[in-house]
């Protein structure tokens, strides 16, 4: 009986070891930690089917603010990051959590608000506009979620001489939410909101909101891709993640990004190799 049991145990181990490489080969999927703007703008719904068709790899997206996406990478909970806060991205790589950062695409931020523009901010200068918002105690919705958009917003407030949210005015509200929900709150409360243009163009519930400030060079919004370093987290699927990063910056991925439009308007502009 003991001999028969041993034979079965050996056979079970042999089957398990034989199936392990097969299971690993079949699991061609990666976790992409990315921003709410890439998800809520509809870009991923456009890109990922083309990526899977080209590579056979399924990309499972977790859409968060950039700060939270970077934290996922630090914990090893994602294989690759697709985010938009260059300073934070370069810090992530410098600290040994990620491999090389590659620029992928850009769009811009815009300040939206009530069409009547009670704070009279309309124009091109984002810093002057925020100064007027604070002086008028106008209703402003901040994402307040450590996202790339939130980080940009705080830079603009600082340039305007305001340390938000420490010196926030009464009608400065933080929602701790993604771009879509922040715009929904802005639309329902007739408030000003800083948003990336991609999410704005795909946003349907605009109510009385309109773009009031755009065109300032400081509103430039760059996106980058980083493979999480397997030296920190050996379980990271480096090869599959690198295939995703390489596809994004290759002509096929760049063309797919450029082809994504809403109402005939392009949402993101590929710039791989730009050094941005």
């Amino acid at each position: 009986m003991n001999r028969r049991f041993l034979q079965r145990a050996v056979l079970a181990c042999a089957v398990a070891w034989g199936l392990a490489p097969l299971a690993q080969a079949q699991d061609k999927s990666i976790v992409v930690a990315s921003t709410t703007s890439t998800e809520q703008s509809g870009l991923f719904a456009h890109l990922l089917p083309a990526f899977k068709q080209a590579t056979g790899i399924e990309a499972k997206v977790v859409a968060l603010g950039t700060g939270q996406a970077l934290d996922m990478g630090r914990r090893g909970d994602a294989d690759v990051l697709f985010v938009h806060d260059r300073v934070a991205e370069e810090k992530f790589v410098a600290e040994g959590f990620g491999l090389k950062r590659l620029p992928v695409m850009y769009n811009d931020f815009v300040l939206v608000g009530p069409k009547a523009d009670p704070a009279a901010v309309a124009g091109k200068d984002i810093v002057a506009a925020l100064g007027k918002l604070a002086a008028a105690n106008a209703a402003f919705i901040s994402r307040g979620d450590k996202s790339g958009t939130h980080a940009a917003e705080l830079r603009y407030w600082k340039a305007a001489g305001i340390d938000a949210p420490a010196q926030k005015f009464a009608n400065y509200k933080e929602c701790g939410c993604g771009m879509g929900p922040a715009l929904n709150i802005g639309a329902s409360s007739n408030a000003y909101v800083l948003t990336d243009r991609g999410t704005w163009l795909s946003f349907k519930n605009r109510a009385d909101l309109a773009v009031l400030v755009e065109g300032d060079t400081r509103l430039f919004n760059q996106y980058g891709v980083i493979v999480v370093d397997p030296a920190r987290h050996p379980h990271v699927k480096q090869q599959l993640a690198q295939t995703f990063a390489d596809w994004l910056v290759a002509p096929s991925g760049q063309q797919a990004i450029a082809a994504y439009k809403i109402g005939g308007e392009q949402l993101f502009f590929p710039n791989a190799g730009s050094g941005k």
Side-chain angles (χ1 to χ4, degrees), residues 88-251:
E89 293 164 39
E90 291 178 341
K91 183 173 184 286
F92 180 85
V93 173
E95 290 174 344
F97 290 103
L99 302 178
K100 184 178 180 181
R101 172 193 175 274
L102 299 172
V104 178
M105 63 186 190
Y106 71 93
N107 64 2
D108 62 345
F109 295 112
V110 294
L111 182 67
V112 302
K115 292 175 183 176
D117 190 17
V121 303
K124 187 177 179 178
D125 191 328
I126 185 62
V127 173
L130 293 186
K132 290 179 181 179
L133 287 181
N137 190 27
F140 181 87
I141 305 301
S142 169
R143 284 181 57 173
D145 63 347
K146 298 182 180 180
S147 62
T149 304
H150 183 218
E153 177 213 318
L154 294 181
R155 290 195 300 270
Y156 304 146
W157 283 117
K158 186 175 181 180
I162 300 166
D163 182 18
Q167 296 173 302
K168 62 185 177 183
F169 44 96
N171 284 322
Y172 177 102
K173 308 295 183 184
E174 294 177 300
C175 68
C177 61
M179 197 69 259
L183 284 169
N184 275 321
I185 296 169
S188 64
S189 58
N190 221 28
Y192 293 85
V193 187
L194 182 76
T195 175
D196 68 284
R197 192 183 294 271
T199 306
W200 171 252
L201 289 174
S202 63
F203 184 63
K204 306 300 182 186
N205 182 34
R206 296 182 180 182
D208 194 47
L209 299 185
V211 174
L212 298 175
V213 180
E214 61 182 330
D216 192 327
T217 56
R218 289 169 291 196
L219 292 170
F220 179 81
N221 180 29
Q222 177 69 43
Y223 290 78
V225 63
I226 308 170
V227 175
V228 175
D229 194 337
R232 288 269 186 164
H233 302 289
H235 63 274
V236 165
K237 299 174 184 175
Q238 181 185 359
Q239 290 185 332
L240 300 182
Q242 191 64 56
T243 299
F244 177 72
D246 291 344
W247 183 83
L248 284 177
V249 301

Side-chain angles (χ1 to χ4, degrees), residues 26-31 56-60 79 237 240:
Q26 289 175 339
D27 184 22
K28 291 189 67 175
S29 66
I30 54 172
V31 174
I57 300 169
E58 180 182 2
K60 302 174 182 177
D79 300 298
K237 299 174 184 175
L240 300 182

